Amino acid sequence: MDLDIATIEHFTRRAIDAAWIVVPSIILALIYYFIGMYIIRFLVKTVNNIFTKYEIEVSLAIFLSSFIRVILYVVLILAVASTLGFPITSFIAILGAAGLAVGLALQGSLSNFAGGVLILIFKPFKVGHTIEAQGTLGSVERIDILYTTVRNFDNRVVIIPNGGLANSSIINLSMKPTRRVELSLGVAYGTDLKKTREIILDVLKKDERVLEDPAPVVYFTNFGDSSLDLSVRCWANAADLWPVYWDNMEAIKEAFEANDIEVPFPQRDVNHYFPEGKPELTLSPEKNSN
């Protein structure tokens, strides 16, 4: 009986000693947990406010907010586990090795991810813009984290990885509200260029879509093989670029016809040289088939 009481007292003392060690650690871990949860909520809310203030793309804001929240939770769990006395060094080493392996395996995807983040943050183009990049010309339909979807003007859909898109030249045809319309024309040799210029400018003046500032201009640019080449330049709103081009090309053609201005076609003069003299032409009599 004395042995049993001594054993109980021994275990009781050990339990009390362990409690003096474990209970403060648990209390400290709980304090860390609740304070960490408050800090995480505060930081995530602050980050979301920053994203809203700078008008970060919604899809990117949601992704980055979730990513930051997960990282902060992992840090909090490691801090709480360390307070409770769990060895976390080996866990961190395993986690780092796994992250390295995943990073090497997903190198291309990570490059596309980084490119998508850069595109969504710096916004070199937006949905609806017309861009020329990676050998593709079309309208941007969607910007995802990994890929950008572009629809060509012949209705083909092109999926472009964001990694290459972010590291190459991009021509944005929709970023500015106005565009310059360029028309290349040719008139026959001997045409009065002053009169031709007045006719072209008069046609452009009648089109309300052509902007007055900068004013339209007509330049004589080249002595062509069969024509005097002219360059016509005017400005219009970006949305009116091609309608202004097509309509005025047709209107100028009709104005040329009304004012007897010849639009030439390629011509060649052929000279035949006979070193032994020009041969005489003989005509064979026609044979009557009857």
Side-chain angles (χ1 to χ4, degrees), residues 41-58:
R41 285 195 293 268
F42 174 77
L43 291 177
V44 171
K45 183 179 179 180
T46 302
V47 169
N48 287 333
N49 290 336
I50 293 174
F51 289 160
T52 303
K53 178 179 179 181
Y54 290 98
E55 299 181 351
I56 302 299
E57 190 74 22
V58 176

Side-chain angles (χ1 to χ4, degrees), residues 63-118:
F63 177 83
L64 291 180
S65 178
S66 301
F67 182 76
I68 292 172
R69 184 183 290 107
V70 169
I71 295 298
L72 292 176
Y73 275 129
V74 170
V75 173
L76 177 60
I77 292 172
L78 293 177
V80 171
S82 176
T83 303
L84 294 175
F86 291 99
I88 63 172
T89 305
S90 57
F91 176 76
I92 294 176
I94 295 173
L95 189 63
L100 179 61
V102 172
L104 292 175
L106 301 176
Q107 186 175 2
S109 296
L110 291 177
S111 175
N112 292 336
F113 168 76
V117 171
L118 293 175

Side-chain angles (χ1 to χ4, degrees), residues 13-237:
R13 286 194 300 270
R14 295 189 61 181
I16 293 173
D17 294 339
W20 279 106
I21 298 174
V22 173
V23 171
S25 298
I26 294 176
I27 294 174
L28 186 60
L30 290 174
I31 293 173
Y32 282 172
Y33 174 77
F34 288 111
I35 293 177
M37 291 292 293
Y38 174 79
I39 293 175
I40 289 174
R41 285 195 293 268
F42 174 77
L43 291 177
V44 171
K45 183 179 179 180
T46 302
V47 169
N48 287 333
N49 290 336
I50 293 174
F51 289 160
T52 303
K53 178 179 179 181
Y54 290 98
E55 299 181 351
I56 302 299
E57 190 74 22
V58 176
S59 58
L60 177 61
I62 294 174
F63 177 83
L64 291 180
S65 178
S66 301
F67 182 76
I68 292 172
R69 184 183 290 107
V70 169
I71 295 298
L72 292 176
Y73 275 129
V74 170
V75 173
L76 177 60
I77 292 172
L78 293 177
V80 171
S82 176
T83 303
L84 294 175
F86 291 99
I88 63 172
T89 305
S90 57
F91 176 76
I92 294 176
I94 295 173
L95 189 63
L100 179 61
V102 172
L104 292 175
L106 301 176
Q107 186 175 2
S109 296
L110 291 177
S111 175
N112 292 336
F113 168 76
V117 171
L118 293 175
I119 290 172
L120 291 171
I121 289 178
F122 295 104
K123 298 180 180 179
F125 55 84
K126 299 179 181 179
V127 173
H129 282 187
T130 299
I131 65 170
E132 182 177 356
Q134 299 287 294
T136 298
L137 174 64
S139 176
V140 178
E141 286 196 333
R142 184 174 178 179
I143 305 174
D144 293 322
I145 292 295
L146 298 179
Y147 302 97
T148 294
T149 302
V150 177
R151 179 174 56 85
N152 284 343
F153 296 114
D154 57 357
N155 215 30
R156 291 183 299 173
V157 176
V158 182
I159 310 297
I160 305 177
N162 286 336
L165 194 60
N167 293 304
S168 61
S169 299
I170 301 173
I171 300 176
N172 191 329
L173 304 177
S174 302
M175 183 168 288
K176 298 298 182 181
T178 59
R179 295 277 306 279
R180 189 175 70 183
V181 184
E182 297 190 21
L183 298 82
S184 297
L185 306 173
V187 295
Y189 277 90
T191 301
D192 186 345
L193 293 182
K194 184 177 180 180
K195 177 183 177 182
T196 303
R197 181 179 289 107
E198 292 175 352
I199 292 172
I200 295 173
L201 292 177
D202 184 61
V203 170
L204 295 177
K205 186 177 181 180
K206 294 178 181 178
D207 191 339
E208 296 180 354
R209 297 167 299 180
V210 176
L211 302 179
E212 296 181 359
D213 186 20
V217 293
V218 180
Y219 294 115
F220 170 57
T221 57
N222 185 45
F223 292 94
D225 292 338
S226 304
S227 64
L228 300 175
D229 298 333
L230 303 175
S231 178
V232 181
R233 298 178 181 179
C234 62
W235 289 81
N237 292 326

